[in-house]
Amino acid sequence: MSIDTSIPAVARLRAPEPSTDRDPAPRRRSELASFLRSRRERLDPEVLGLPTGTRRRTPGLRREEVAQLAGVGVTWYTWLEQGRQINASVQVLDAVARTLKLDQAETEHLYRLADVPAVPAVGNCRRLDPEVQQILDALRPLPAAVTNGRSDVLAWNRSYALLFPFLVNAPEDKRNSMWQVFTAPECCHPFVNRKEELGRMVANFRARYGRHVGEPAWDEFVKRLCAASPEFAELWAEHSVAEGGVRVKTFRHPALGDMNVVVTTLEVAANPGVRMMVYTPNDDATRDRIELLRQDSLESGHTYACGHSFEAPPLAELPSPVSPCPEMAGIRLALGTERGTAL
């Protein structure tokens, strides 16, 4: 009798297959397929000038009709709606969104499901509903403004305009608090504690930027501001990050003197990234000075110590650009109590 003393070959170990339950990509593509199909089926061919006929088995448009109207290949669109793993460009998704008559929320949802990092703004609408302006005006004499995540100032009340006329009077592409505080001359800068506040603003901006990495509008803004302000470029290179917190800001105003305020942030829940900034006095002297902003105008002729003029234009020349906007209909303010660090 012989005994086999050989050692059996060790079976090659194989890494376990990745669990599709943990991989969000297949689920996202499946959700994309269902979403596109539902949006296609809600469209009326007759309204779009397409023949209805009697051979339509399902409601809405056919896949080939969507592809034709969007100017994309039928096979490509079919694969997209089937949830296959294909690459979709911003331009093509934008064409599909227009064809399917998607609103702003639906279009942004489409881009997220397609895993496209650069979600473009829908149209160029920067305006808000008139109700937002009513809220801003009702807050007077407290200065208040509405901004987006990139710090573009979208709307304001009269008190805010009198406090920051250089900002609201800037061209639209530079009507941005980050841009203005980094390009303003140091001799007449609105911040008393300039160095500290600028560093904090960049750290807050970096935190918001982290949610928009790769988006052309954000990257272009950072590039422009780095070119316009070496100081911003230096702070940006430090990669400091900070979320908004309780901050007391001190502004220097030629007509009113130094003003200590706290900025309270009210998030606009229906429009992510859009927020209302309300400035409340932090001491009795500032409260008295803010009360002066209830007037329609300040006396002219004020200058900074450096000699630069500070002129608040007449009321008629400081309109807030709020008017009806279809993409932002139904806007509602979620009255949060986070205190932010905008200008």
Side-chain angles (χ1 to χ4, degrees), residues 310-330:
F310 182 94
E311 292 293 341
L315 179 62
E317 297 180 14
L318 279 175
S320 182
V322 170
S323 65
C325 176
E327 287 82 5
M328 304 188 77

Side-chain angles (χ1 to χ4, degrees), residues 125-180:
C125 185
R126 294 164 56 90
R127 298 177 178 179
L128 305 173
D129 281 341
E131 291 77 12
V132 175
Q133 188 64 55
Q134 293 176 20
I135 296 173
L136 290 172
D137 293 338
L139 288 170
R140 291 193 65 195
L142 298 180
V146 173
T147 69
N148 60 18
R150 208 169 50 243
S151 299
D152 297 318
V153 180
L154 309 180
W156 56 83
N157 63 12
R158 175 66 174 168
S159 296
Y160 185 91
L162 292 173
L163 195 59
F164 305 116
F166 62 91
L167 178 54
V168 301
N169 278 327
E172 188 173 355
D173 64 335
K174 296 179 181 178
R175 195 180 296 152
N176 177 287
S177 60
M178 291 285 293
W179 182 275
Q180 291 299 321

Side-chain angles (χ1 to χ4, degrees), residues 149 151 177-179 181-182 191 194-210 218 221-222 225-226 229-244 247 249 275 341-343:
S151 299
S177 60
M178 291 285 293
W179 182 275
V181 297
F182 275 100
F191 287 140
R194 180 179 182 277
K195 185 175 181 180
E196 177 185 357
E197 288 301 336
L198 291 185
R200 184 74 181 185
M201 284 185 72
V202 174
N204 292 153
F205 183 81
R206 170 76 73 173
R208 299 195 299 272
Y209 173 82
W218 284 74
F221 176 76
V222 171
L225 191 49
C226 282
S229 171
E231 185 175 15
F232 173 81
E234 182 179 350
L235 290 170
W236 186 251
E238 294 178 1
H239 287 266
S240 298
V241 179
E243 293 291 347
R247 298 282 296 175
K249 288 177 174 286
R275 52 207 171 141
T341 54
L343 177 62

Side-chain angles (χ1 to χ4, degrees), residues 20-61:
T20 56
D21 292 338
R22 297 181 180 179
D23 183 3
R27 295 182 59 187
R28 186 170 56 243
R29 289 195 296 270
S30 176
E31 181 68 20
L32 173 61
S34 299
F35 176 68
L36 288 173
R37 187 164 53 252
S38 69
R39 301 304 90 176
R40 172 171 59 86
E41 291 176 351
R42 73 177 181 177
L43 295 178
D44 186 344
E46 188 174 2
V47 172
L48 297 177
L50 298 173
T52 55
T54 58
R55 300 178 57 185
R56 291 183 179 270
R57 299 178 181 178
T58 58
L61 302 187

Side-chain angles (χ1 to χ4, degrees), residues 9 24 94 140 167 213 280 306 327:
D94 192 41
R140 291 193 65 195
L167 178 54
V213 173
T280 54
C306 60
E327 287 82 5

